[in-house]
Amino acid sequence: MAIGAVISHRNFTSFISSGKLHQPEPATAQSRAETLSFSSAQCVHGNTYSENMCNLKKIYFVSGYRNTISSHGLNPAPGNMLRSRATLLSDEENKKFPMTNHKQRARGICRCFVSFPSESCNWIKPVQQKDTSISNRPTLQPRHTTINRIRANYKSEDYDVAADLGSLVSSEGGASEAVLVGETKPWWEQFPKRFVIVLLCFSAFLLCNMDRVNMSIAILPMSKEFNWNSATVGLIQSSFFWGYLLTQIVGGIWADKIGGKKVLGFGVVWWSVATVLTPIAAKIGLPFLLLMRACMGIGEGVAMPAMNNILSKWIPVSERSRSLAMVYSGMYLGSVIGLAFSPILIQKFAWPSVFYSFGSLGSLWFAFWLSKAHSSPTEDPELSAEEKKYIMGGSVSKEPVTNIPWKLILSKAPVWALIVSHFCHNWGTFILLTWMPTYYNQVLKFNLTESGLLCVLPWLTMAVFANIGGWIADTLVSRGLSITTVRKIMQSIGFLGPAFFLTQLSRVKTPAMAVLCMACSQGSDAFSQSGLYSNHQDIGPRYAGVLLGLSNTAGVLAGVFGTAATGYILQNGSWDDVFKVAVILYIIGTLVWNFFSTGEKILD
């Protein structure tokens, strides 16, 4: 940005600098040494403006701008022009170049040189002033000065400086130049910290689903090697939810009391270790495999409540839907990566390689998490004052939670609407998550590699539409639509969309159309991230972790019963029966949500 102020050769006009209007007085023989107008000033992290340079009172700074202020002035005496340069130094340089005038109260000091023009008045030669306690400096080479005639208004903050700089001014009066030199931060340090937290949570959920869905691919060669039937496969798949169920509410309470950073960090390390140990447990025996899958569920069970707690503190309401959608899209992309790479690893290195490779990635994430993440903005020493003000002004209350008002929470109808709707939603979601590769293999007759690759499409669709839904929801809120209406619209799409497309699976005739129906079902399901999954922070931001723990407990129960029931249904029925149960629950969830949910705060 360039900011200029111009003084005519023939008459002195006002110039704009630091948002103020300055009227220079006509130069006289008595005031030539008293009036200094800027020739040019360049600032980094600050803009400067001087009124009556001889008795300098104030220097104005505005952090974050790089500006140039230029003016040109001629002394009434022909052929005389004054030019000076002042450089604001750092604290370390202050020690090297102390000023004799101790009235100065600035953060730096000035080194000044006064120069007089040659006879042509177009070239400037420096003359160092004596007896002014100014540091020595090599003679400047003659150079041509240009005039910047750009004008601008800008705001500033005042910093008082008391310094007698009269000895620096020649009686020949004229124009002067001041240069303030600062330091800028690299762009990666200026990246908003709240978005860093969102990206770290996104990557945690990416690893979460990578480690979860690898079993849905590895279970096919494992069942052949260990002679497991459909009922045993369903038991193994559901064992994950045993541990996942145990830590939902506990994880929410823990996160609300001690902070989400510790809880989420613990969860990632725990489930990563359990993932690495899964092949060893499988070779020892089925009970050990069931135990290890339950341990993995314990680690992943705390992830969602901890994440919800962190985002409730870091993300303002105006950015809530899209931030949550971004994080949850990490789950979907984790499914995409897990389902895409698991068949390749299995074919080249056998099925244990999937667990070893995916589980080891957790250690890398944990290193970044320890160094960059904080549970709330108030705990982050590197957070800028501007961003902290923005977050604290637009997000939820940051008081720590000491007691959970269980009676009050469970007496609210919108809380129960969350719980019931989460159960209905997760029944269909977890069935598709755990049984989709088997459906492709047994019904559509795809091989292992094709099953894994085709499973990618529905999850990739969810990742895309989750973010689209988040932007739509935040846009509707910003345009004045009530949060309650927005949440009901988005969740209705998340329920009725999958219900419709699952009913079409029994009517399609080709595998390609079946995959398309699956993709459309999951894509519309992703709008739930801007519906019920955002509603915990709407109705009770202080208890966001606990509320998500409660509703997700119901969702986990749906996963446990739904996954196990699917195996039982397949032994006695067909895939059409599996999908019919999911559709019925989707419709029930739609009715409950639209009758009892709200987007207003009911818990404080």
Side-chain angles (χ1 to χ4, degrees):
M1 180 189 299
I3 300 176
V6 179
I7 300 177
S8 171
H9 288 201
R10 291 181 294 275
N11 52 61
F12 291 94
T13 57
S14 64
F15 67 91
I16 300 171
S17 179
S18 300
K20 300 189 177 183
L21 187 63
H22 177 59
Q23 298 285 354
E25 298 177 356
T28 64
Q30 291 79 14
S31 63
R32 288 171 186 168
E34 295 177 357
T35 303
L36 283 174
S37 58
F38 279 124
S39 176
S40 66
Q42 184 178 13
C43 309
V44 179
H45 292 295
N47 305 315
T48 182
Y49 166 60
S50 170
E51 297 183 28
N52 198 343
M53 194 69 175
C54 177
N55 297 312
L56 181 61
K57 295 301 182 183
K58 293 184 179 181
I59 296 180
Y60 300 89
F61 297 87
V62 178
S63 177
Y65 293 92
R66 181 183 182 91
N67 300 325
T68 300
I69 305 171
S70 301
S71 68
H72 184 93
L74 281 175
N75 192 290
N80 290 331
M81 178 185 289
L82 178 92
R83 184 180 180 85
S84 69
R85 174 182 292 268
T87 304
L88 185 66
L89 304 179
S90 64
D91 293 336
E92 295 181 358
E93 291 177 308
N94 291 344
K95 300 177 181 178
K96 299 179 181 179
F97 305 100
M99 293 188 67
T100 56
N101 190 335
H102 299 290
K103 291 192 294 177
Q104 179 169 337
R105 298 196 301 273
R107 298 180 182 175
I109 64 174
C110 292
R111 291 185 298 183
C112 297
F113 292 84
V114 179
S115 57
F116 298 91
S118 63
E119 295 179 357
S120 64
C121 291
N122 291 327
W123 296 85
I124 294 177
K125 295 180 180 179
V127 177
Q128 183 173 338
Q129 299 300 294
K130 297 180 179 180
D131 301 325
T132 58
S133 299
I134 306 299
S135 64
N136 294 328
R137 182 171 178 175
T139 301
L140 298 174
Q141 296 298 324
R143 61 185 179 87
H144 185 70
T145 58
T146 59
I147 299 175
N148 186 351
R149 296 182 179 272
I150 301 175
R151 290 172 177 247
N153 287 310
Y154 59 96
K155 296 181 180 180
S156 63
E157 297 177 1
D158 296 353
Y159 289 82
D160 290 339
V161 177
D164 185 8
L165 302 177
S167 60
L168 302 180
V169 183
S170 170
S171 62
E172 303 297 347
S176 65
E177 177 181 308
V179 178
L180 300 180
V181 180
E183 183 179 351
T184 57
K185 292 183 178 180
W187 67 268
W188 57 87
E189 293 184 9
Q190 299 179 18
F191 190 73
K193 193 60 182 289
R194 65 188 185 278
F195 297 153
V196 174
I197 299 297
V198 170
L199 289 176
L200 285 171
C201 291
F202 165 87
S203 58
F205 277 56
L206 183 100
L207 295 177
C208 175
N209 263 33
M210 283 177 63
D211 293 340
R212 185 190 301 185
V213 303
N214 56 13
M215 177 59 80
S216 63
I217 298 294
I219 197 70
L220 298 175
M222 290 173 71
S223 61
K224 293 181 180 179
E225 180 177 339
F226 298 109
N227 296 318
W228 295 331
N229 56 29
S230 296
T232 303
V233 170
L235 182 64
I236 294 171
Q237 298 278 39
S238 64
S239 63
F240 166 85
F241 297 104
W242 302 346
Y244 196 69
L245 176 65
L246 293 176
T247 53
Q248 290 297 313
I249 298 176
V250 174
I253 296 173
W254 192 13
D256 286 344
K257 287 189 174 183
I258 70 172
K261 177 182 178 179
K262 295 179 180 178
V263 179
L264 185 55
F266 158 79
V268 174
V269 172
W270 185 276
W271 86 58
S272 297
V273 172
T275 300
V276 172
L277 295 178
T278 296
I280 300 174
K283 293 180 180 179
I284 295 175
L286 181 61
F288 292 95
L289 176 61
L290 297 176
L291 177 62
M292 193 55 59
R293 292 293 293 175
C295 288
M296 182 180 173
I298 289 175
E300 294 200 3
V302 303
M304 290 182 66
M307 177 276 299
N308 218 37
N309 172 272
I310 292 174
L311 294 192
S312 70
K313 293 178 170 59
W314 275 94
I315 304 301
V317 176
S318 59
E319 299 175 356
R320 178 174 296 164
S321 294
R322 55 178 176 262
S323 296
L324 284 169
M326 179 67 180
V327 173
Y328 283 118
S329 67
M331 297 179 64
Y332 308 143
L333 290 177
S335 298
V336 168
I337 295 173
L339 294 172
F341 284 93
S342 292
I344 299 173
L345 292 173
I346 290 173
Q347 287 188 343
K348 290 187 175 181
F349 306 104
W351 61 265
S353 64
V354 175
F355 300 98
Y356 295 144
S357 58
F358 287 3
S360 61
L361 296 176
S363 59
L364 299 177
W365 177 91
F366 187 65
F368 283 100
W369 182 251
L370 285 180
S371 61
K372 298 296 182 181
H374 296 274
S375 294
S376 69
T378 57
E379 300 177 11
D380 191 344
E382 299 179 355
L383 185 66
S384 67
E386 293 82 3
E387 185 177 8
K388 184 176 181 180
K389 181 179 179 180
Y390 175 71
I391 294 172
M392 302 295 285
S395 61
V396 300
S397 175
K398 305 301 185 297
E399 294 85 357
V401 174
T402 54
N403 297 311
I404 309 298
W406 292 109
K407 186 176 181 180
L408 176 64
I409 291 174
L410 296 177
S411 65
K412 302 294 184 179
V415 174
W416 286 103
L418 265 177
I419 294 172
V420 173
S421 298
H422 210 145
F423 179 91
C424 296
H425 173 267
N426 276 27
W427 183 283
T429 300
F430 280 123
I431 287 176
L432 295 177
L433 177 67
T434 55
W435 285 96
M436 191 184 300
T438 304
Y439 173 79
Y440 286 156
N441 180 257
Q442 294 180 356
V443 178
L444 304 181
K445 306 302 180 183
F446 295 145
N447 59 35
L448 178 62
T449 302
E450 291 173 336
S451 296
L453 293 177
L454 288 172
C455 285
V456 166
L457 183 58
W459 296 110
L460 187 60
T461 305
M462 291 187 78
V464 173
F465 278 90
N467 288 282
I468 292 175
W471 282 98
I472 292 174
D474 283 344
T475 301
L476 292 175
V477 172
S478 66
R479 292 186 177 182
L481 202 61
S482 70
I483 297 177
T484 299
T485 303
V486 172
R487 299 293 179 238
K488 288 183 177 182
I489 291 173
M490 304 307 286
Q491 190 54 50
S492 295
I493 297 173
F495 277 143
L496 298 179
F500 172 76
F501 289 108
L502 287 180
T503 58
Q504 304 305 306
L505 280 174
S506 60
R507 302 179 182 181
V508 298
K509 304 298 182 181
T510 63
M513 290 301 298
V515 173
L516 180 62
C517 284
M518 284 285 194
C520 293
S521 173
Q522 295 295 83
S524 54
D525 179 275
F527 281 80
S528 299
Q529 312 311 325
S530 302
L532 73 89
Y533 282 95
S534 298
N535 195 233
H536 308 85
Q537 297 180 30
D538 294 331
I539 65 175
R542 286 195 66 201
Y543 309 103
V546 172
L547 289 172
L548 184 59
L550 276 173
S551 69
N552 208 34
T553 297
V556 172
L557 288 174
V560 172
F561 296 135
T563 304
T566 299
Y568 177 80
I569 292 172
L570 291 176
Q571 281 189 324
N572 300 277
S574 66
W575 280 98
D576 287 342
D577 298 326
V578 172
F579 295 141
K580 286 177 182 178
V581 174
V583 168
I584 292 173
L585 289 174
Y586 277 138
I587 294 174
I588 293 174
T590 303
L591 296 174
V592 172
W593 181 258
N594 281 280
F595 277 113
F596 298 105
S597 68
T598 182
E600 305 302 321
K601 184 188 294 187
I602 61 173
L603 299 170
D604 198 3

